């Protein structure tokens, strides 16, 4: 099976230095575990951070050179049409740009591929690809997806392959000019990010209701059992848990 | 110098709002001065019905397990705010339970179970038919996925992860949270969790909208929930945590009990310091801060640092010998007993 991992120009969350996006390295590891032949595809300027992915298990990276204002979708869709992979892996959202997480979906739509989100495990199934999907609270869902497919990878996927310096030196870098299409214009005002407070409790309502919620001690509905028989206490706990399961 | 003295009787009469059946005095003048009401008038519960809306605002809910989540309520709150008094909020989910009091005016059912492709197709057709001003989704795992499918089908830009919204503008983080984008509210938006207040006003009347049929091109051939071993779930993500403190002596039995209850095991600092359970299980300020639904504390008195770790947990069960322990005060079900005696009984009851 042939796979393509989409690489984006990551930045370190604190220092702002260029680095590979961790979840994309996990995607490479997932594809390698599946026994795929994996190539990396990056639309943008390339650079040492992208080439570091060689060290984490990529044999070849195609850098499609496009300008800053260009839409990566057109360039990547063109490359996918040439390579014709069975599987395209990507992170849930890019880093450093618009970060909307739309690219995998638009790519799947443009290439007529199926899409599944948040994979933490991949396996070959009889009629396609088996994807184990991560859900909140540690839950998992098993999907069978028709191939070819785009699959986005979740942070709780198995860790990336360790960095091997020799592989970093031996990787094959292909640089071509990508299809340059200007990104659709979108009017917005950009300014430095400001953290906003999160709602706590069931906020909202009248000032009186909010004051009451903030000052009244929350009575837990407190059922108190003093020195019960162990069996009786056990039944009370199980009855209590039944309400939430 | 003489000044006019206040007449105490007159002042009292001015703030007295009722004499019978009991004396009622309102010094804040909320009922208006000198308002003498013999009996309180019970107002009939009002409901708002938006008859001929000028425009529509769509709100899409996850409704996991057939119940509206906190996040769904917040999305409905944002939709209600955008719709104002003249627009109608159309709620899309597998269930319409309690959507009216949260500000929904219309309801259209989405296919039940996990079927994002069919749901996206229905939404894309509904958007064409009703031409809503905005379509709002929760930025949750499934809601965010559905929003991107719909935006890709419609070819519309997505304004995702909105952290602040008003009728004039919406704000989202970009470039790894180093900048934020501010723009007029767009067509397709996803709302970040715990950022927008739910609607608390007068309840709305919900009418059903005629369902739309949409052809689906299937890419996901099968979907099923997987059974997960609770002990393998990271503590910070677990929904039920069973935690051991100084009152627990038999740790083999404790881990067995956690397995039988399908709960993720946790521990207090004392237990981890003593090396009785691994450090990774520590709950509290210097361990893991939980996001669980239910926390069951066996033999934990509840140091402030431990209580910080369970600050977000709604339902707490505590078993402790000390009636005055902080954990007993925090618990919804508090049992004053030796945790070591309750554990085997609980295991027995689970096996029966």
């Amino acid at each position: 099976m042939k796979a393509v991992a989409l690489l984006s120009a990551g930045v370190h969350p604190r220092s702002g230095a260029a680095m590979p996006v961790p979840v994309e390295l996990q995607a490479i590891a997932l594809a390698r575990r599946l026994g795929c032949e994996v190539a990396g595809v990056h639309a943008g300027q390339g650079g040492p951070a992208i080439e570091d992915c060689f060290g984490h298990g990529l044999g070849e990276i195609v850098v499609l050179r496009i300008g800053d204002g260009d839409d990566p979708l057109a360039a990547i869709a063109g490359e996918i049409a040439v390579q014709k992979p069975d599987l395209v892996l990507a992170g849930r959202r890019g880093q450093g740009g618009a970060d909307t997480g739309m690219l995998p979906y638009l790519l799947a739509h443009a290439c007529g591929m199926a899409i599944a989100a948040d994979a933490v495990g991949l396996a070959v199934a009889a009629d396609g690809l088996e994807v184990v999907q991560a859900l909140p609270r540690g839950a998992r869902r098993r999907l069978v997806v028709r191939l070819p497919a785009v699959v986005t990878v979740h942070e709780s996927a198995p860790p990336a392959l360790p960095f091997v310096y020799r592989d970093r030196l031996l990787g094959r870098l292909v640089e071509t000019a990508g299809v340059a299409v200007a990104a659709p214009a979108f009017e917005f005002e950009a300014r430095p990010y400001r953290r906003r407070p999160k709602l706590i409790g069931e906020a909202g309502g009248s000032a009186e209701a909010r004051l009451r919620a903030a000052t009244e001690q929350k009575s837990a509905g407190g059922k108190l059992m003093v020195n019960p028989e162990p069996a009786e206490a056990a039944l009370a706990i199980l009855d209590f848990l039944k309400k939430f399961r | 110098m003489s000044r006019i003295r206040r007449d105490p009787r007159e002042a009292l009469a001015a703030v007295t709002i009722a004499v019978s059946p009991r004396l009622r005095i309102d010094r804040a003048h909320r009922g208006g001065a000198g308002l003498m009401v013999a009996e309180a008038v019970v107002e009939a519960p009002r409901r708002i019905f938006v008859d001929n809306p000028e425009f529509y605002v769509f709100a899409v809910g996850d409704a996991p397990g057939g119940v509206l989540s906190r996040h769904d309520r917040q999305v409905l709150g944002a939709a209600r705010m955008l719709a104002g008094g003249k627009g109608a909020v159309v709620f899309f989910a597998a269930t319409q339970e309690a959507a009216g009091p949260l500000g929904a005016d219309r309801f259209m059912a989405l296919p039940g179970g996990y079927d994002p492709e069919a749901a996206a197709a229905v939404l894309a057709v509904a958007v064409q038919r009703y031409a809503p001003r905005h379509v709002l989704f929760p930025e949750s795992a499934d809601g965010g996925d559905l929003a991107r499918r719909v935006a890709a089908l419609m070819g519309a830009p997505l304004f995702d992860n909105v952290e602040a919204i008003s009728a004039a503008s919406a704000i989202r983080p970009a470039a790894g949270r180093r900048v934020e984008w501010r723009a007029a509210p767009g067509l397709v938006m996803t709302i970040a969790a715990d950022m927008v207040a739910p609607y608390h006003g007068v309840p709305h009347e919900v009418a059903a909208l005629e369902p739309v049929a949409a052809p689906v091109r299937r890419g996901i051939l099968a979907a099923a929930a997987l059974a997960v071993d609770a002990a393998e779930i990271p503590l910070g993500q677990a929904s039920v945590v069973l935690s051991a403190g100084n009152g627990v002596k038999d740790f083999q039995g404790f881990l067995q009990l956690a397995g039988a209850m399908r709960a993720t095991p946790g521990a207090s600092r004392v237990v981890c310091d003593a090396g009785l359970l691994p450090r990774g299980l520590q709950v509290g300020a210097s361990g893991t801060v939980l996001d669980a639904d239910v926390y069951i504390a066996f033999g934990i008195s509840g140091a402030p640092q431990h209580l910080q770790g369970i600050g977000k947990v709604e339902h707490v069960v505590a078993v402790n010998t000390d009636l005055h322990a902080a954990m007993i005060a925090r618990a919804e079900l508090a049992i004053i007993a030796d945790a070591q005696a309750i554990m085997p009984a609980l295991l027995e009851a689970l096996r029966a």
Side-chain angles (χ1 to χ4, degrees), chain B residues 113-213:
Chain B
Y114 178 72
D115 195 355
E117 287 164 332
V122 164
L123 279 163
V125 171
V127 166
Q128 273 184 352
R129 182 175 299 176
Y130 294 100
R133 269 195 201 171
H134 312 284
V135 186
L136 307 186
F137 296 84
E139 180 66 56
S140 56
D142 284 349
D145 177 53
L146 182 58
R148 287 169 178 84
R149 285 174 194 273
V150 172
L153 273 182
M154 288 163 45
L158 175 71
F159 203 77
D160 72 316
N161 216 359
V162 170
E163 293 190 346
I165 190 163
S166 66
S169 74
I171 296 174
R172 67 172 289 263
R177 284 188 190 272
R178 277 174 291 127
V179 296
E180 61 186 29
W181 288 9
R182 182 169 172 273
L187 177 57
V188 187
M189 295 188 284
T190 63
I191 308 289
D194 292 338
M195 285 297 182
V196 182
Y199 176 70
H200 282 286
V202 182
H204 282 241
E205 186 97 40
V206 184
L209 270 193
E210 179 192 343
V212 297

Side-chain angles (χ1 to χ4, degrees), chain B residues 69 101 108-109 111 114 145-146 149 176 178 186 203-204 206 221 227 252 254 276 303 311 315 320:
Chain B
S69 70
M108 194 189 289
Y114 178 72
D145 177 53
L146 182 58
R149 285 174 194 273
R178 277 174 291 127
H204 282 241
V206 184
L221 307 172
Q252 281 307 318
F254 167 75
L276 298 166
H315 307 290
N320 204 313

Side-chain angles (χ1 to χ4, degrees), chain A residues 93 97-100 105 115 137 140-142 144 146 189 191 193 196 199 220 223 225 227 245, chain B residues 114 145 148-149 160 163 172 176-177 180 182 194 218-219 221-222 224 237 261-262 291 332 334 336:
Chain A
R93 60 177 71 206
D99 302 0
T100 57
Y105 291 84
I115 180 152
R137 299 229 179 275
R140 297 283 184 264
R141 191 190 277 144
R142 182 182 158 278
V144 177
R146 173 174 54 81
E189 175 200 333
R191 51 189 188 187
Y193 179 68
R196 289 179 172 74
L199 294 181
K223 187 182 171 193
M225 301 169 81
N227 293 327
R245 278 246 168 111
Chain B
Y114 178 72
D145 177 53
R148 287 169 178 84
R149 285 174 194 273
D160 72 316
E163 293 190 346
R172 67 172 289 263
R177 284 188 190 272
E180 61 186 29
R182 182 169 172 273
D194 292 338
R218 298 261 168 209
L221 307 172
Q237 293 178 23
M261 289 175 81
R262 289 183 288 124
D291 192 20
E332 204 169 325
I336 309 302

Side-chain angles (χ1 to χ4, degrees), chain B residues 36 61 201 308:
Chain B
M36 301 285 279
Q308 277 174 21

Side-chain angles (χ1 to χ4, degrees), chain B residues 14-25:
Chain B
V15 295
T16 302
I17 57 170
V19 181
S20 117
R22 63 184 177 85
L23 180 66
R24 291 178 61 212
I25 297 171

Side-chain angles (χ1 to χ4, degrees), chain A residues 24-58:
Chain A
E24 290 168 2
L25 300 179
Q26 288 173 296
I28 296 167
L30 270 186
R32 290 284 301 268
R33 278 177 175 224
L34 193 63
C36 289
E37 184 192 319
V38 205
V41 169
H42 170 72
Q45 303 294 323
I50 297 292
E51 289 165 36
D52 275 350
C53 298
F54 287 134
H56 291 281
L58 271 188

